[in-house]
Amino acid sequence: MNPVTPTNLGETILNVFFYLIIAAFLIYSIIAIYSLLRYGRTKILSISVIVVYLIISAGLYAAAVSSLNQIK
Amino acid sequence: MIHNPLFPGQQENEKIYMVLRPHWFIFFLKFLAWVLFAAIPFIIDWFINQFAPGLNNAPYVGYIDLLKDIYMMFLMLGLFILWIMYYLNMQIITNERIVDVTQKSLLHHTISELHLTNIEDVTAEVKGVFGTFLNYGSVYVQTAAETERFVFDNVPNPAAVEKMILDLYEKVPKGND
């Protein structure tokens, strides 16, 4: 018999919370990028800043996923 | 000639004299506040090392790292939005009008226009230690028709802005709105 242990439930809750937070982050980022591209006067500057932001965010996301996997 | 307007409604023969944003020091102050928030994870690390070294071991260290990573992500988002708000707020002075582009939030964009012929009074104000030494302040443009006035907050060299607006007002043909 292999019952579902509280640890697994904890992991599921942690995963759900983590990806909800990431979804909120993603939505907010998309709105920010949209505003900058929509209202920004210099597209080259806007795109450059967005690329830098996305690279840093992707690095931080990778670090967060790595930390999440470390907990499991 | 390719017409690439800086703001909606810009005429082809309309000459832009100034594009104003708040002084860099205003952004720097906000950036300093951001740096204080960015220092929090390092302070927590120091605190853990000094007073609770047990939290550096599994399973606690994983949770702490995860929280720090998520915090840093939102911190980066905060800095990104801070810069966007600084970059998207601006005032444009042309030979025909003053355009105030205000970004109150990410999805709240306002454009107000004031024709130079409607100007009644322009006031430049420099106050405070930083404003005086770094030469930034506010410019108030009072209109003839409305009680509401245009305010340029914390713009660099407000006296030069005031002079430019008055000079352009003098050049506008009277009775030709």
Side-chain angles (χ1 to χ4, degrees), chain A residues 14 18 21-22 24-25 28-29 31-36 39-43 45-46 49-50 53 56-57 60-61 63-65 67-68 70-71, chain B residues 5-8 21 59 61-66 69-70 72-74 76-77 80-81 83-84 87-88 90 92 101 103 105-109 111:
Chain A
L14 186 67
F18 176 74
I21 289 169
I22 295 298
F25 174 81
Y28 225 103
S29 295
I31 292 171
I33 289 169
Y34 171 78
S35 295
L36 186 55
Y39 303 118
R41 309 293 151 183
T42 318
K43 298 298 174 207
L45 177 65
S46 302
V49 172
I50 287 167
Y53 171 72
I56 295 170
S57 297
L60 289 170
Y61 172 73
V65 170
S67 299
L68 183 70
Q70 201 184 331
I71 292 170
Chain B
L6 187 65
F7 58 91
R21 286 196 175 85
V61 68
Y63 289 101
I64 291 167
D65 282 349
L66 181 63
D69 291 334
I70 292 171
M72 289 308 288
M73 283 174 75
F74 279 92
M76 279 313 301
L77 179 63
F80 186 47
I81 291 171
W83 182 79
I84 289 174
Y87 177 64
L88 295 184
M90 63 178 165
I92 303 158
V101 182
Q103 191 77 30
S105 68
L106 285 177
L107 296 174
H108 190 170
H109 186 76
I111 300 176

Side-chain angles (χ1 to χ4, degrees), chain B residues 82-148:
Chain B
L82 214 61
W83 182 79
I84 289 174
M85 300 302 284
Y86 174 78
Y87 177 64
L88 295 184
N89 275 291
M90 63 178 165
Q91 285 90 28
I92 303 158
I93 300 171
T94 76
N95 58 339
E96 289 181 17
R97 55 189 149 171
I98 298 168
V99 183
D100 185 13
V101 182
T102 309
Q103 191 77 30
K104 287 180 181 167
S105 68
L106 285 177
L107 296 174
H108 190 170
H109 186 76
T110 312
I111 300 176
S112 314
E113 288 183 23
L114 170 67
H115 280 267
L116 292 175
T117 48
N118 293 330
I119 289 175
E120 199 167 65
D121 177 55
V122 186
T123 309
E125 180 188 73
V126 176
K127 64 177 180 183
V129 177
F130 294 119
T132 305
F133 284 111
L134 297 172
N135 193 21
Y136 70 83
S138 300
V139 177
Y140 304 99
V141 182
Q142 184 74 50
T143 61
E146 298 163 25
T147 52
E148 200 176 324

Side-chain angles (χ1 to χ4, degrees), chain B residues 6-96:
Chain B
L6 187 65
F7 58 91
Q10 184 188 346
Q11 305 296 314
E12 275 197 51
N13 57 350
E14 194 169 3
K15 192 177 170 191
I16 289 168
Y17 280 85
M18 247 185 201
V19 177
L20 296 163
R21 286 196 175 85
H23 194 271
W24 62 264
F25 188 70
I26 302 302
F27 180 75
F28 178 72
L29 286 177
K30 289 176 182 173
F31 180 73
L32 275 186
W34 181 86
V35 168
L36 287 178
F37 281 99
I40 288 174
F42 298 101
I43 294 167
I44 289 173
D45 271 352
W46 176 83
F47 187 85
I48 287 171
N49 285 331
Q50 289 289 318
F51 302 107
L55 291 177
N56 277 328
N57 304 320
Y60 310 111
V61 68
Y63 289 101
I64 291 167
D65 282 349
L66 181 63
L67 281 176
K68 274 196 292 190
D69 291 334
I70 292 171
Y71 180 77
M72 289 308 288
M73 283 174 75
F74 279 92
L75 208 62
M76 279 313 301
L77 179 63
L79 182 63
F80 186 47
I81 291 171
L82 214 61
W83 182 79
I84 289 174
M85 300 302 284
Y86 174 78
Y87 177 64
L88 295 184
N89 275 291
M90 63 178 165
Q91 285 90 28
I92 303 158
I93 300 171
T94 76
N95 58 339
E96 289 181 17

